[in-house]
Amino acid sequence: RQHPRPPPPPSAMNVDQEGSNTQMMRQANMRKKGGQLMDPTRHEDADLLGTGMVDLRQTSCLNANGEPKWAQLSQVMQPNTEDLALISDADEQLIFKIVFKEKVNLSEILIRADKAPENADDECSAPKLVKVFSNKDDLDFGDVGDETPASIIEMVVGEHRTRLVGARYQRVSSVQIFVEANQGDTPLTFLNRLSVIGHRAWNG
């Protein structure tokens, strides 16, 4: 005569139940996008303006020439296939203040300056010495020299990509990019493209 199999011990039942709960949580955290299930824990870097993470209402550029014939910050943060130029105004320095809608992890900055404007009031050249800060929302020209940058970049002419490494680039709400000097020691600085690359900083 066969005896019925005894039930599993409580510890085994708990393990099975925890595994099931974990699987259910994973499925619940999957987001549907384009007909495919996307796992939000996968960190895929992208241009943060293109992903909608940049708050353009709070994003600005100090000392940019605001005349309509010159590009504004929102234009050079897009692909800018027409090579419009953003140029500085009073002198060669610029401070880009980029604010995010949610906290992000930054991985890279791209700056392109290969199409100089032809009809500027003064001579322009591409950025050379660039300093990057994070979460310095009130940064301006009066105190930028007192702050320690997270990165110092010596740019080359054309397109320059810089990896952003370290804790200062994790879970940031804003990034500040200070163009301190340009390639030709000219009165004005120009650029055609600025891209900040990273991904949303997920909780947990």
Side-chain angles (χ1 to χ4, degrees):
R1 182 179 177 181
Q2 295 182 348
H3 296 282
R5 181 179 299 177
S11 59
M13 294 179 64
N14 290 342
V15 170
D16 290 344
Q17 185 174 4
E18 288 176 2
S20 177
N21 289 343
T22 301
Q23 182 65 22
M24 291 175 63
M25 289 175 64
R26 286 177 179 171
Q27 292 177 356
N29 286 333
M30 299 285 275
R31 295 192 307 166
K32 201 163 190 177
K33 182 178 180 182
Q36 297 182 346
L37 289 175
M38 305 297 292
D39 186 351
T41 61
R42 293 181 60 187
H43 297 156
E44 297 183 0
D45 290 335
D47 181 292
L48 290 173
L49 180 66
T51 61
M53 294 297 295
V54 175
D55 188 342
L56 288 175
R57 294 174 300 175
Q58 298 188 62
T59 293
S60 62
C61 179
L62 304 184
N63 194 39
N65 191 313
E67 293 184 21
K69 64 180 179 179
W70 306 121
Q72 302 306 303
L73 179 55
S74 61
Q75 293 174 289
V76 298
M77 290 188 71
Q78 298 177 31
N80 190 19
T81 56
E82 297 179 5
D83 286 330
L84 302 174
L86 180 150
I87 70 170
S88 60
D89 189 12
D91 57 23
E92 78 282 10
Q93 296 187 338
L94 294 160
I95 297 181
F96 299 94
K97 306 176 75 168
I98 300 169
V99 180
F100 305 107
K101 296 177 181 178
E102 301 179 53
K103 289 185 178 180
V104 299
N105 295 340
L106 301 178
S107 62
E108 190 174 22
I109 286 178
L110 178 150
I111 297 175
R112 178 171 64 82
D114 53 5
K115 184 66 174 177
E118 297 178 355
N119 55 343
D121 295 335
D122 216 330
E123 190 177 359
C124 299
S125 59
K128 180 180 181 180
L129 180 60
V130 177
K131 298 180 179 180
V132 185
F133 304 82
S134 62
N135 297 330
K136 301 291 183 182
D137 294 341
D138 298 325
L139 191 74
D140 60 28
F141 295 107
D143 59 13
V144 67
D146 299 327
E147 298 288 348
T148 302
S151 297
I152 299 176
I153 304 168
E154 287 278 352
M155 282 192 55
V156 298
V157 176
E159 181 175 290
H160 190 100
R161 288 177 175 265
T162 300
R163 295 290 298 173
L164 304 179
V165 180
R168 293 191 189 183
Y169 296 120
Q170 303 299 302
R171 300 187 61 79
V172 303
S173 56
S174 65
V175 63
Q176 295 73 37
I177 303 167
F178 172 44
V179 178
E180 184 171 335
N182 58 37
Q183 298 286 343
D185 293 325
T186 56
L188 303 178
T189 300
F190 82 94
L191 61 80
N192 308 110
R193 181 79 168 97
L194 173 62
S195 176
V196 180
I197 298 165
H199 59 265
R200 178 182 174 186
W202 293 95
N203 296 324

